[in-house]
Amino acid sequence: MTTISGTRDAFVARLSPDGSSLDWSTFVGGEGAEQGTAILPMADGSAYVAGHTASSYFPTTTGAYDTRLDGDTDAFVLHLSSSGM
């Protein structure tokens, strides 16, 4: 995503190995408020991101464990490929 879709979205960015340039960046979120709280970079350039959401329509993929907001907030864990997708 290139724009914020709710009141607050999680933001993830990947820098080049020497930190001199931005490889990619993205927002992650739905119509409510999201916050990314942890990131685990992998050797292949991908990353796992964890956080919490208050969005009823947080983007999920087919086969996701839980696709609904159950209460005021829910946790999320997502995987971004080395290209940020």
Side-chain angles (χ1 to χ4, degrees):
M1 290 179 8
T2 58
T3 60
I4 294 175
S5 57
T7 57
R8 183 179 68 221
D9 281 350
F11 174 77
V12 182
R14 184 176 120 175
L15 300 176
S16 64
D18 66 1
S20 66
S21 62
L22 178 67
D23 282 346
W24 55 259
S25 63
T26 189
F27 293 106
V28 178
E31 86 290 351
E34 280 71 44
Q35 183 172 347
T37 56
I39 188 163
L40 176 62
M42 305 303 288
D44 66 358
S46 68
Y48 287 90
V49 180
H52 54 86
T53 179
S55 292
S56 298
Y57 301 103
F58 187 82
T60 61
T61 56
T62 302
Y65 175 75
D66 186 1
T67 60
R68 307 176 311 167
L69 180 65
D70 298 317
D72 293 335
T73 61
D74 259 344
F76 68 81
V77 176
L78 61 93
H79 180 249
L80 293 171
S81 70
S82 60
S83 64
M85 304 302 271

